[in-house]
Amino acid sequence: MRRMLKQSALVRDNNFKGGLKEYAKQMGKIGKFASQVKIAGYVSIGADVVSSGVNVYEAAPEDKARTTVVETTKVGVGIVGGIYTTGLVIGLASGGVGFVVIGVVILSAGAAVKGASEISGWIAGKSYDLIEKTLEDE
């Protein structure tokens, strides 16, 4: 294992001072950061679910079904988009791309997932309205 790490590009690089001990210390810092990001992800999912629940609870009685469909779609698309974003980030991180590039990908992918979530909620609302109107016409 030690021989493999010594042959690694990070340890051999002239910019990486300190050798194997410093490398292990940096990996420990990255591990702590990863666990904090994981906790933040759980908090974010919880906040989205609670926010959607409040929106459904506060909806007018005649709009509860529509609001439920819209909010459920938004949360679902947000979670699925987060899964794909995580896969993308892990793929980039394991490929050796710099942390700045990974940070840009995380921020832009997060914004894209939020946008996709809002758009899917809007589409779900329009679809619900169309289906409801069609059922009323029959």
Side-chain angles (χ1 to χ4, degrees):
M1 178 73 153
R2 211 173 244 200
R3 184 176 49 152
M4 182 184 79
L5 286 174
K6 284 184 179 180
Q7 294 172 353
S8 135
L10 288 174
V11 177
R12 289 185 297 150
D13 189 11
N14 290 335
N15 295 329
F16 193 83
K17 305 295 182 199
L20 191 57
K21 288 183 182 179
E22 189 64 29
Y23 180 74
K25 200 182 302 181
Q26 293 299 324
M27 289 298 114
K29 289 180 184 176
I30 290 171
K32 288 178 185 176
F33 178 72
S35 65
Q36 292 170 352
V37 169
K38 184 178 177 182
I39 291 169
Y42 290 143
V43 169
S44 175
I45 290 172
D48 281 348
V49 170
V50 168
S51 172
S52 293
V54 168
N55 287 343
V56 169
Y57 179 77
E58 292 178 346
E62 61 274 2
D63 289 337
K64 279 220 190 273
R66 182 183 191 281
T67 305
T68 302
V69 169
V70 169
E71 294 298 325
T72 303
T73 302
K74 287 166 61 174
V75 170
V77 169
I79 290 172
V80 171
I83 291 169
Y84 285 116
T85 300
T86 303
L88 176 67
V89 170
I90 289 173
L92 287 174
S94 63
V97 179
F99 287 114
V100 173
V101 173
I102 293 172
V104 169
V105 169
I106 289 171
L107 292 176
S108 60
V113 168
K114 179 65 176 168
S117 172
E118 292 297 324
I119 291 170
S120 64
W122 179 80
I123 291 171
K126 292 295 183 183
S127 300
Y128 182 88
D129 292 341
L130 180 64
I131 292 169
E132 189 176 80
K133 182 181 177 191
T134 304
L135 292 176
E136 286 176 357
D137 290 342
E138 290 181 0

